Amino acid sequence: MGQSKENKGEVVPAHIAIIMDGNGRWARQKRLPRIMGHYAGVKAVEKTVIAALELGVKHISLFAFSTENWKRPKGEIYGLFGLFRYFIRCKIKKLKEENIRLRFSGRIDFLPDNLKDLVKWAEGETKEGDRLDLVVCLNYGGRQEIIDAVNRILEASPKDNDKAKGINEEDFRDYLYLPDLPDPDLIIRTSGEKRLSNFWLWQSSYSELYFTDVLWPDFNEDELRKAIEEYKSRERRYGGI
Ligand code: FPP
């Protein structure tokens, strides 16, 4: 679970997770089409990742497309997929130069082939990156992740007597999408909404939550620093005293 029990001090969160919300409202305020809000959201991703790198964050995870986002109009969904492909293609060189590992979490197999193939390719290309682990959650849902884990355990159990007898938390983690990813120390949500919306449900048990009214396209290094300062002032007890 990362760090010291009492976290008041100078400890930068090892894993920051972000619910990037408010792209649509940002576009509406500017009388632009929604997709322009998402495009501005990609620019905010770039700024935030560079800032995280400089601040010494080790893992950053971004909720980019949820299992519930399929309810949006087709044009917006495919516009978003186009932006994810653009991000991967255009940024892969920079990610490699900066030693950033790019990986994805979610039901990737259900994505269109042209995105799925690019996702697999990008993961392979950046697998040696050890300065920052950038996790993009695509077609991700926390409940779905837990259900997928349970189904994989059930599939494995007839072959594995130990699992059939019951499993503990540590064993369960092995069946999550990214078992080696530490739980988020800090979860940030932009745009004033105060919910987790099915993000990292298993992993968020002891995460510190930070909510800001800033819309995602306006998020930047200063906003990230503010969130980290707030995190540093909190005391983490993990159920102890
Ligand atoms: C929520 O804003 C945002 C999304 C559903 C998409 C997030 C995607 C990006 C920021 C694009 C770039 C991501 C990567 C990783 C390259 P909203 O549309 O729900 O905004 P609203 O609530 O104001 O309508």
Side-chain angles (χ1 to χ4, degrees):
M1 213 174 289
Q3 299 161 353
S4 59
K5 198 158 120 189
E6 301 221 1
N7 190 51
K8 276 187 168 172
E10 291 305 306
V11 188
V12 169
H15 177 183
I16 298 182
I18 309 183
I19 302 174
M20 307 175 289
D21 199 4
N23 296 350
R25 276 162 283 170
W26 183 93
R28 195 169 62 223
Q29 283 174 6
K30 298 190 156 34
R31 297 177 191 280
L32 292 169
R34 286 179 62 83
I35 196 68
M36 292 309 290
H38 296 313
Y39 181 71
V42 178
K43 300 284 152 201
V45 165
E46 291 167 19
K47 283 188 240 164
T48 305
V49 169
I50 296 301
L53 202 59
E54 282 163 8
L55 291 163
V57 174
K58 293 307 291 177
H59 312 266
I60 182 156
S61 56
L62 305 172
F63 202 8
F65 192 86
S66 75
T67 43
E68 289 70 38
N69 285 152
W70 291 101
K71 293 178 197 150
R72 293 187 178 212
K74 270 205 164 61
E76 182 169 343
I77 294 172
Y78 287 94
L80 277 167
F81 291 170
L83 281 179
F84 300 145
R85 291 198 304 271
Y86 157 84
F87 175 81
I88 296 172
R89 281 206 198 93
C90 294
K91 296 297 155 194
I92 199 88
K93 189 164 172 274
K94 174 91 174 152
L95 293 172
K96 284 166 81 169
E97 277 167 12
E98 297 288 353
N99 244 328
I100 298 175
R101 179 179 186 189
L102 175 62
R103 43 189 190 151
F104 295 82
S105 180
R107 288 182 168 170
I108 303 301
D109 286 344
F110 294 86
L111 293 170
D113 285 348
N114 60 3
L115 179 55
K116 191 171 56 185
D117 294 348
L118 215 48
V119 157
K120 305 262 183 234
W121 171 76
E123 286 188 329
E125 284 292 300
T126 60
K127 66 176 191 298
E128 308 295 343
D130 59 4
R131 217 173 133 211
L132 177 74
D133 182 26
L134 169 60
V135 176
V136 175
C137 296
L138 270 191
N139 198 17
Y140 177 86
R143 287 187 178 178
Q144 288 77 3
E145 181 178 30
I146 293 168
I147 297 284
D148 287 349
V150 170
N151 281 322
R152 288 178 55 212
I153 291 164
L154 291 174
E155 275 167 30
S157 53
K159 288 172 252 144
D160 186 340
N161 283 334
D162 282 353
K163 296 282 179 298
K165 277 187 224 143
I167 61 165
N168 58 28
E169 274 186 33
E170 222 175 292
D171 293 334
F172 188 81
R173 186 177 289 277
D174 289 341
Y175 290 86
L176 295 174
Y177 297 141
L178 300 176
D180 63 312
L181 181 69
D183 290 344
D185 301 290
L186 172 65
I187 299 181
I188 297 172
R189 183 171 189 153
T190 58
S191 91
E193 309 289 350
K194 296 182 177 67
R195 305 184 279 281
L196 282 180
S197 299
N198 207 14
F199 189 36
W200 289 148
L201 291 190
W202 174 271
Q203 298 86 340
S204 61
S205 306
Y206 288 100
S207 304
E208 295 295 327
L209 306 180
Y210 176 86
F211 301 105
T212 169
D213 288 338
V214 170
L215 302 176
W216 176 249
D218 293 325
F219 199 85
N220 55 22
E221 179 174 349
D222 284 350
E223 297 303 329
L224 185 66
R225 282 182 186 277
K226 273 191 228 166
I228 293 176
E229 283 314 306
E230 164 74 27
Y231 168 86
K232 284 180 180 173
S233 73
R234 300 206 190 157
E235 204 174 337
R236 302 182 79 191
R237 291 196 294 273
Y238 300 110
I241 52 169

